[in-house]
Amino acid sequence: MSLEEKVRDIIVDKLGVAPEKVKPEAHFIDDLGADSLDTVELVMAFEEEFNVEIPDDDAQQITTVKSAVDYLGKKIGE
Amino acid sequence: MAQSKRAIVTGGTRGIGRAIVKELASRSCCGVLFSDVAFVYNSCEECVEEIRQEIKSPETRIFALKADASSYEDAEATVAEAIQKLGGVDILVNNAGITRDNLLLRMTPEEFDTVINVNLRSVYNYTRAVIRHMIKQRYGRIVNISSVVGLIGNPGQANYAASKAGIIGFTKSAAREFASRGITVNAVAPGFIDTEMTRQLNEKQRETLIQNIPLKRLGTPEDVARVVAFLCSDDAEYITGQVINVDGGMVMS
C-alpha cells in the first residue's frame, strides 16, 4: 500500500468520511469536518502507523491531506 | 460477571485515597466489577502491605507504585508502568494532596508552591499521561478530589484552597474537551473528613466545625470513596463536569 493510501485510510477511519472526499487539497477542519481534538488524534494515529514522533510544532503544520503525505514522506525518507 | 475495570489512584496509601483504592478494588455493583487498581504513593511504605491485607477480594490485582505526584516525569513513567501492569486504564482518580497551612502574612513562597504542585499540578500530570489511552479507547472516567475549602475558602489555607479551586476549573475544562470521546471528568469536594490531615485540628476547632455541619458528624473516608466509585461506574455515564460535595450539608450551592 502506498503512503498516500495509508494516510487516506487513517483519515477515513479517524474522521469517518468517505474515501473520495479525501483529496490532496482537502483541509481537515474546513473540508473534512474535523474538530481540534480530531486533528490531534490524526497526528497520534500517524505517529503510530508510521512509527515516527511528530513534534507539536510540526503537527500544527499538518492541516491538509497533502501536507500530511508530504510531511510523512520526508519523515520516513521515502 | 460484568467486565472489570482498571484504575489508577494517586495518593493511595492513606486517608481518603486509601478508602478509594479499597472501594474500587472490592466493589462489585452497578454492573461493574472493579478489579484491578494501581495506586501511586510517596509516603507510608508500611501502608502498602496493610492495604493488600485489607482488600478481601482475591481476584483483585493491586499494584503499588512509588512516585512524586508533582513530578511530570514521574507521572509519565508511573502511568506507563501502571498501564503495562493493568493492561490498560479506564479510571483515574487524582487524589494526592497535602496541606501546608499558614496565615497569608506568614505563608512562604515554598509553602504556596509545594501545595500547588502536589495538589494541582499532579492532576495535570496524571490526566495528561492517561488521556491518550482513554481517547483511543473512547472510554474513561476521571475523578478529581477537590475540597469544599476550594469553594468557600478557609483562613490559613489560601494555598490549599487555591489548589482545590484550581482543580474545579481543570475538571470542567477537561470535561468539555473530552466529552466527545466518551470520557467523563468530575470532581468530588469532601467537607470535614476524619483523616490524619484533619486530626491536626484541636478539639475546640473540631467542635466548632461539627456545629456547622447539618448532619452533625465528621465524614468518613468511605463516605467519599463510595461517591468516587459511583462516578467511576457506568451508572454515572451521563454525569460530567460536575462537582459533587460530600460534606454532610456543610456547603449548599
Side-chain angles (χ1 to χ4, degrees), chain B residues 175-192:
Chain B
R176 289 183 190 277
E177 240 175 80
F178 304 120
S180 63
R181 301 305 192 267
I183 299 165
T184 66
V185 189
N186 292 288
V188 170
F192 191 23

Side-chain angles (χ1 to χ4, degrees), chain A residues 35 37-38 41 44 47-48, chain B residues 132 135-136 138 177-178 181:
Chain A
D35 64 18
L37 192 52
D38 287 323
E41 274 198 77
M44 277 163 47
E47 287 181 324
E48 212 155 283
Chain B
R132 203 179 247 257
I135 286 177
K136 217 184 281 173
R138 295 287 192 268
E177 240 175 80
F178 304 120
R181 301 305 192 267

Side-chain angles (χ1 to χ4, degrees), chain B residues 66-77:
Chain B
K66 186 157 181 157
D68 170 6
S70 67
S71 155
Y72 183 79
E73 289 73 25
D74 269 21
E76 275 190 317

Side-chain angles (χ1 to χ4, degrees), chain B residues 21-32:
Chain B
V21 169
K22 285 161 64 181
E23 184 72 24
L24 291 180
S26 321
R27 192 177 170 111
S28 173
C29 83
C30 324
V32 177

Side-chain angles (χ1 to χ4, degrees), chain B residues 10 28 39 44 48 62 71 81 93 99 118 143 172 178 211:
Chain B
T10 68
S28 173
F39 66 89
C44 196
V48 174
I62 301 290
S71 155
E81 191 183 344
V93 181
T99 53
V118 174
V143 178
K172 293 178 178 177
F178 304 120
Q211 286 312 310

